[in-house]
């Protein structure tokens, strides 16, 4: 157990698997009290059990962040109550990715992606950030994506929703930063699901060819960045998107 986030409280959405789970576990390992939120009570219970078994503090709060303001405000209220009226770190991680071409995307899918990926974090931040400011400050961490800036031929809907999240990150940094609330984002690259055995070939492997890392990333790589953005080590960082992508967006490796 570390102490980089000792005496801090955190709410992590979409924390019952993959990146969200890794962030919740990393926060707890650094001393934070963590609310694990998601739709599946069964998966949430497993995450909380693992955190507690490792000596950390965690509780699960079920939430279906469907984009309605009521759903986001309800989660904020329950999390504040569970954490004694204080949320120091909010991680807007919950999101959906229905990859398809533009012509094959129907209006219902469009509305749901923007509801979950943009409206839900918008209203959750609206409910939490002012309370952070009233309590003396805090950190909001949004999850963007590498495809928001490096275009791929399938997934325009998802990419545009993450582009909106990254724009909100900068806007919120300007809005809430003067009140002591830092707002930043992490843009993960191609992240391999932890359920996939090490060394197992995956179609995503082709997407990391020509990058400095030359491989897919792990959820833990994103979690390490989140711990940094949540703590005092990043106290002078506002409105930034941290690329955790193995160099996918910014670098091209030319083979000899």
């Amino acid at each position: 157990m570390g102490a980089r986030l000792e005496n801090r409280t955190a709410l992590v959405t979409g924390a019952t698997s993959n990146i969200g789970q890794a962030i919740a576990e990393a926060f707890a390992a650094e001393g934070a009290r963590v609310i694990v939120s998601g739709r599946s009570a069964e998966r949430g219970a497993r995450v909380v059990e693992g955190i507690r078994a490792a000596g950390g503090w965690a509780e699960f709060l079920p939430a279906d962040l469907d984009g309605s303001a009521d759903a986001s405000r309800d989660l904020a209220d329950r999390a504040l109550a569970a954490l004694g009226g204080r949320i120091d770190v909010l991680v807007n991680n919950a999101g959906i990715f229905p990859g398809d071409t533009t012509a094959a995307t129907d209006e219902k899918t469009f509305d749901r992606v923007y509801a979950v990926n943009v409206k839900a974090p918008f209203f959750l931040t609206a409910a939490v950030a002012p309370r952070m400011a009233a309590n003396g400050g805090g950190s909001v961490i949004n999850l963007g994506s590498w495809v928001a800036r490096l275009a791929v031929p399938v997934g325009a809907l998802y990419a545009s929703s993450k582009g909106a999240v990254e724009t909100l990150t900068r806007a919120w940094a300007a809005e809430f930063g003067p009140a002591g609330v830092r707002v930043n984002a992490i843009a993960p690259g191609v992240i391999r699901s932890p359920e996939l055995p090490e060394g197992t070939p995956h179609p995503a492997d082709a997407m990391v060819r020509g990058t400095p890392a030359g491989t897919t990333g792990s959820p833990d790589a994103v979690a390490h960045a989140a711990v940094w953005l949540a703590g005092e080590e990043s106290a002078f960082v506002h409105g930034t998107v941290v690329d955790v992508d193995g160099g996918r967006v910014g670098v091209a490796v030319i083979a000899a």
Side-chain angles (χ1 to χ4, degrees), residues 1 6 16 23 29 37 41 44 54 59-63 75 79 85 134 138 148 150 152 157 175 178 191 219:
M1 297 288 289
E6 191 173 13
T16 60
I23 292 174
S37 180
E59 285 191 14
F60 172 71
L61 291 181
L75 175 59
L150 183 63
V152 294
L157 176 59
E175 181 177 353
I191 303 298

Side-chain angles (χ1 to χ4, degrees), residues 1 8-11 24-25 27-36 47-48 50-61 79 81-84:
M1 297 288 289
R8 301 200 183 194
T9 61
L11 167 60
E25 291 171 345
F27 280 6
E30 290 293 343
R33 290 185 293 141
V34 181
I35 295 297
V36 173
V47 175
V48 167
I51 289 173
R52 292 175 177 173
W57 189 103
E59 285 191 14
F60 172 71
L61 291 181
L83 294 170

Side-chain angles (χ1 to χ4, degrees), residues 66 106-116 119 157:
D66 59 4
D106 58 33
E107 186 176 6
K108 181 179 180 180
T109 300
F110 184 100
D111 289 344
R112 175 152 174 76
V113 168
Y114 266 76
V116 175
K119 285 183 67 179
L157 176 59

Side-chain angles (χ1 to χ4, degrees), residues 172-195:
W172 287 337
E175 181 177 353
F176 298 116
V181 179
R182 295 185 302 108
V183 185
N184 293 286
I186 300 171
V190 184
I191 303 298
R192 178 177 289 259
S193 171
E195 288 80 25

Side-chain angles (χ1 to χ4, degrees), residues 145-237:
S145 173
W146 67 282
V147 297
R149 277 168 293 144
L150 183 63
V152 294
V154 176
L157 176 59
Y158 175 79
S160 67
S161 74
K162 288 303 182 178
V165 167
E166 293 188 7
T167 297
L168 285 171
T169 297
R170 292 183 286 273
W172 287 337
E175 181 177 353
F176 298 116
V181 179
R182 295 185 302 108
V183 185
N184 293 286
I186 300 171
V190 184
I191 303 298
R192 178 177 289 259
S193 171
E195 288 80 25
L196 197 63
E198 190 74 24
T200 303
H202 190 274
D205 293 341
M207 302 179 79
V208 296
R209 292 175 190 154
T211 66
T215 185
T216 53
S218 71
D220 286 341
V222 182
H224 295 321
V227 168
W228 177 68
L229 286 174
E232 287 302 316
E233 295 159 320
S234 61
F236 201 52
V237 180

